[in-house]
Amino acid sequence: MTQAQALEILKTGANVFLTGEPGAGKTYVINEYASYLRARHIDPAITASTGIAATHLGGMTIHSWSGIGIKKYLDRYELDKISTTEYLAKRIRRGKVLVIDEVSMLSPETLDMVDLVCRTVRQNDDAFGGLQIIFVGDFFQLPPVVRNEYNNNSQSQDSLWEENEKPRFAYGSNAWQRAKPMTCYLTEQHRQDDDIFLEILSAIRQNSFGDKHLSKIQTRRVVRENLPEKAVKLYTHNINVDRTNDAMLATFNAKPVTFSMTTKGSSALVAALQKGCLSPKNLVLKVGAKVMFTKNNPKEGFVNGTLGTVESFDNYIHLPIVRTHDGRKILVEQMDWSVEEGGKIRAKISQVPLRLAWAITVHKSQGMSLEEAVMDLSDVFEFGQGYVALSRVRRLSGLHLLGWNQQTFQVHPEVLIKDSEFRISSEAGEVAFSKIPKAELEKMHKNFIKACAGDEPSVPSTEGDGISYEAISPGSEKKSAKTKKPKGHGFDKIREKHPNAFRPWSKEQDEELKEFFSNGVAIENLSETFGRKAGAIRMRLVKLGVLEEEPI
C-alpha cells in the first residue's frame, strides 16, 4: 500500500494499524494526517510507547496521556482516581483521534489499561471510548520488555479483567481485538536504495536469511584497528556507548564548551521530554568533536541522524559551527522540544540539537537514517535488535560490522506468522477501498470531519481592493473561476503548514508569544510553535511593542 492510499483510509475515520518496513514512511503519513486534521480544527492526540519516539513526533508517551503512568495493572481505586482527575478526564473526553506510535514496544496489558481508561472516562463501551485509534509500528522491531512482577502482582490484586495465558504483543490484547483496526502495510521504501541490501533485510524479515546473504554480510566485516573515521558506532548496551564517547572527547585538547538545557512547564512533562530527547541536559563539546543532529530541520539542512564535526564556535553567540559529512557548514542554534495539547504548549525544553556521536545505542537509533555505521552485534540479546540496527543504514556499503551472534539475523517466530496475516489483510483492504467511487470516499472524509465537530478550511477570495474569505461549501467548486484563486492558494494549502493562519490571537497566546520571544526563541521556531507564518509572527510582535517595525 502506498502512503497516499493509507492517508485516504485514515481520513475516513477508520481504526488503523499503520505498519511497514523501516524507511517505508510511517512517521511521514502520521505527520501528514495530523496536519490535515489540525487544518480542520481537530487536535489529534499524538502519543508513543517510548519517550524517544514521542519526542520525535512532538507528542507525549501514551502512559502520560492516559494517566496510567508506570502502573502495571489497574484496580478500581486507580481507575476512579484517573477518571476524576480533571485535566486527564478533560483531555480524554475531548479527544477525537488517538495515535500510538512504536506500538510494538507496548505490552498487551498496557494497551488494555489505556482502552479501559478511555471507555470509562468517555462513558462509551466502544474500543477506546469511540476514539479513532491509530496504531503505528513494526512488530519485527524491538518488542516490549517482559517483567515478571506484573504476573506476580496480578494474581493477588483486584484486576479489572480475567487473567489467562498472557500474550506478549499488543495485537494479542483485548483492546486490539475490540478495535478491529484495518491494516495499512506500507510497501514503499524511502531509506534504502541498495537492492542487494534490501534483499538481505527482506530475508531477515521473512526468516529466509541464509548462506547467500551471510556471504554479503561477511564482506562488511571490519577490525577495530581499521574503523572508518566518520562512521557512528552502534552498541547494544549503554555502558559501551558512554565509555566510547567520553574516551574520544577526552583525546581532544581543545577547551570544552557546555550548553545547558532550559525547561518550562509541568515538571512531569519536562522530565518525560528530557527522557525522550537525544540531546543531553548538559552538552559538552570541543572543536573536533564528532556529533549527530537530534532533530529534523530540513530548511537548515539537517535531519535526525545527520553526522558532522564541530569545526568552531561562533565568536559572538558562541554557538557551535558544524561541518557535515557532505561538506556543508551549519551554525547550530538552539531548538525546542515541546508537548502541545489543545493548541497550547504545556511543557518545553530547549537545547542545541546535537549529541556526541562516536557511539549510540541500537535502541536510541530507532527512527534514524544513517549514511554509515560501525556495529558490534556480538551481544544481541533480543529478537529484532539486530534487524533494527542493520536497517538504520541506507546501503550495504555504509555497514561496518565488528561482529555478530546467531540471534542477530533472527526475528520473533510468532511475529513472522502474524506479519503474513497483516500483509494479506492490507492487500484485501487496498482492493476494497479501490472499489469505492471517489465521490463517495470524499463524502466519507467530510462525514468524519463533521462527526469530530471539525470544519472544512476556508479559501481566500478576492473582492474589491482587499481580500475576503469564504468557507468551502458543497457546490462551491461550481462557482466562477473569477471569484476564486487558482487551486493551491487557499486556506487549505496554507493551513496544512500553518494551522492557525488568519485566526485571531487570544490574550493567552499574546503573553506566551512575548515570553518566548523575550527568552530568545527564534521567529522561525515561534512560527512552528504557534502554527502561523513567520511574517504574521513578526507583525504580532510589532503590534505588541516588543519588536521594532522594519523600515520600508
Side-chain angles (χ1 to χ4, degrees):
M1 184 178 293
T2 66
Q3 294 176 344
Q5 288 171 325
L7 193 56
E8 290 297 291
I9 292 171
L10 285 169
K11 290 177 182 179
T12 66
N15 292 339
V16 166
F17 170 41
L18 182 66
T19 189
E21 299 182 11
K26 298 182 288 292
T27 300
Y28 172 82
V29 171
I30 290 303
N31 286 336
E32 286 294 295
Y33 186 49
S35 295
Y36 166 84
L37 291 173
R38 288 170 182 146
R40 288 153 180 80
H41 305 162
I42 301 167
D43 190 30
I46 308 295
T47 73
S49 61
T50 68
I52 292 172
T55 302
H56 288 336
L57 286 167
M60 65 180 77
T61 64
I62 186 60
H63 309 75
S64 176
W65 183 88
S66 63
I68 63 173
I70 60 173
K71 297 177 183 65
K72 298 296 185 291
Y73 69 99
L74 281 178
D75 58 25
R76 287 176 173 78
Y77 170 77
E78 293 290 350
L79 182 61
D80 185 61
K81 185 177 177 181
I82 292 172
S83 302
T84 54
T85 300
E86 186 177 353
Y87 79 92
L88 286 173
K90 182 178 179 182
R91 168 196 294 164
I92 295 168
R93 277 197 301 266
R94 73 184 181 190
K96 305 296 181 184
V97 179
L98 174 60
V99 176
I100 305 178
D101 194 20
E102 296 292 5
V103 72
S104 70
M105 299 180 71
L106 205 63
S107 71
E109 294 87 1
T110 301
L111 196 60
D112 279 339
M113 283 192 287
V114 174
D115 172 51
L116 182 62
V117 167
C118 289
R119 287 187 288 119
T120 301
V121 172
R122 293 170 65 86
Q123 298 183 344
N124 182 331
D125 204 41
D126 291 339
F128 296 89
L131 292 167
Q132 181 192 25
I133 181 71
I134 303 168
F135 304 122
V136 186
D138 175 16
F139 284 100
F140 278 120
Q141 300 196 45
L142 300 180
V145 176
V146 175
R147 293 188 173 90
N148 292 330
E149 63 263 29
Y150 180 89
N151 293 335
N152 294 337
N153 286 338
S154 63
Q155 300 302 318
S156 59
Q157 298 293 334
D158 180 22
S159 178
L160 290 174
W161 46 80
E162 294 182 6
E163 300 295 340
N164 299 307
E165 182 180 352
K166 289 184 174 61
R168 180 167 188 192
F169 298 97
Y171 57 71
S173 66
N174 293 328
W176 190 289
Q177 305 309 317
R178 189 179 287 111
K180 297 181 175 62
M182 177 178 178
T183 302
C184 292
Y185 204 124
L186 300 179
T187 53
E188 298 170 301
Q189 180 52 245
H190 300 278
R191 178 178 296 158
Q192 283 85 25
D193 54 8
D194 179 336
D195 290 341
I196 294 175
F197 191 41
L198 277 171
E199 182 184 341
I200 292 171
L201 294 176
S202 295
I204 295 174
R205 283 183 79 93
Q206 297 165 17
N207 201 31
S208 60
F209 185 88
D211 292 341
K212 178 181 74 170
H213 306 106
L214 183 60
S215 66
K216 297 292 184 183
I217 290 291
Q218 287 172 333
T219 66
R220 306 311 305 161
R221 188 156 203 162
V222 293
V223 294
R224 294 187 185 278
E225 294 73 27
N226 192 30
L227 297 180
E229 183 180 341
K230 294 182 178 181
V232 63
K233 299 177 181 65
L234 263 63
Y235 291 105
T236 52
H237 293 76
N238 275 307
I239 189 171
N240 297 326
V241 171
D242 295 339
R243 184 187 298 127
T244 299
N245 284 332
D246 292 344
M248 290 302 298
L249 188 66
T251 63
F252 291 84
N253 294 323
K255 179 182 177 182
V257 179
T258 301
F259 300 90
S260 297
M261 181 182 289
T262 60
T263 67
K264 181 183 178 182
S266 158
S267 58
L269 289 178
V270 164
L273 282 171
Q274 289 174 328
K275 185 177 179 181
C277 180
L278 294 177
S279 292
K281 293 180 184 178
N282 292 299
L283 173 66
V284 181
L285 299 177
K286 295 180 180 179
V287 171
K290 184 177 179 60
V291 292
M292 174 187 294
F293 287 85
T294 59
K295 200 167 174 64
N296 294 327
N297 192 339
K299 183 180 177 182
E300 295 299 325
F302 61 84
V303 296
N304 179 25
T306 297
L307 295 169
T309 302
V310 177
E311 194 169 82
S312 61
F313 296 93
D314 183 86
N315 291 330
Y316 299 101
I317 52 179
H318 309 296
L319 289 170
I321 297 173
V322 173
R323 185 175 291 277
T324 62
H325 285 182
D326 60 6
R328 290 173 294 115
K329 280 177 68 172
I330 300 174
L331 174 66
V332 188
E333 298 183 81
Q334 193 177 67
M335 292 185 72
D336 299 334
W337 288 258
S338 62
V339 174
E340 183 178 330
E341 188 178 14
K344 181 181 178 181
I345 294 176
R346 294 197 56 213
K348 182 186 74 168
I349 61 175
S350 302
Q351 177 60 292
V352 173
L354 296 172
R355 64 167 288 131
L356 294 177
W358 286 284
I360 58 174
T361 61
V362 173
H363 173 69
K364 289 183 178 178
S365 74
Q366 280 199 231
M368 290 182 176
S369 296
L370 303 173
E371 290 297 331
E372 60 177 342
V374 174
M375 303 179 193
D376 186 353
L377 304 179
S378 304
D379 296 322
V380 165
F381 56 88
E382 181 60 89
F383 287 117
Q385 201 171 29
Y387 177 68
V388 168
L390 294 170
S391 60
R392 292 311 96 196
V393 296
R394 296 181 183 276
R395 54 192 69 86
L396 188 62
S397 60
L399 179 63
H400 311 281
L401 281 172
L402 287 166
W404 55 84
N405 61 14
Q406 187 175 359
Q407 197 161 8
T408 298
F409 309 110
Q410 294 180 357
V411 292
H412 201 289
E414 179 188 328
V415 173
L416 186 68
I417 297 170
K418 193 67 180 179
D419 186 69
S420 178
E421 295 177 18
F422 287 142
R423 286 183 181 272
I424 292 171
S425 174
S426 178
E427 289 168 3
E430 187 177 342
V431 170
F433 260 79
S434 69
K435 295 178 180 179
I436 299 175
K438 184 178 179 180
E440 186 175 338
L441 192 60
E442 289 177 353
K443 185 177 179 181
M444 292 169 71
H445 295 167
K446 290 181 179 179
N447 286 344
F448 179 61
I449 296 299
K450 187 176 180 180
C452 291
D455 55 71
E456 290 296 329
S458 300
V459 294
S461 65
T462 54
E463 293 181 5
D465 296 328
I467 300 178
S468 62
Y469 303 94
E470 55 184 310
I472 296 177
S473 58
S476 63
E477 66 276 6
K478 298 178 182 179
K479 292 180 180 179
S480 168
K482 294 180 181 179
T483 64
K484 294 172 63 179
K485 287 205 174 207
K487 184 178 180 181
H489 290 272
F491 271 10
D492 53 342
K493 282 290 181 184
I494 295 171
R495 284 183 174 162
E496 283 179 8
K497 186 174 182 181
H498 307 288
N500 292 320
F502 302 105
R503 292 200 176 108
W505 290 79
S506 67
K507 289 182 179 180
E508 188 177 40
Q509 287 174 331
D510 281 342
E511 291 303 315
E512 287 185 342
L513 179 64
K514 286 193 291 185
E515 184 174 354
F516 287 164
F517 183 71
S518 65
N519 288 332
V521 179
I523 286 178
E524 288 72 18
N525 292 337
L526 291 172
S527 172
E528 182 179 346
T529 298
F530 287 91
R532 300 173 186 269
K533 299 175 79 171
I537 296 291
R538 289 191 187 91
M539 289 174 63
R540 196 65 184 176
L541 289 169
V542 170
K543 185 170 183 178
L544 294 172
V546 294
L547 182 68
E548 291 186 9
E549 188 170 2
E550 295 180 1
I552 298 175

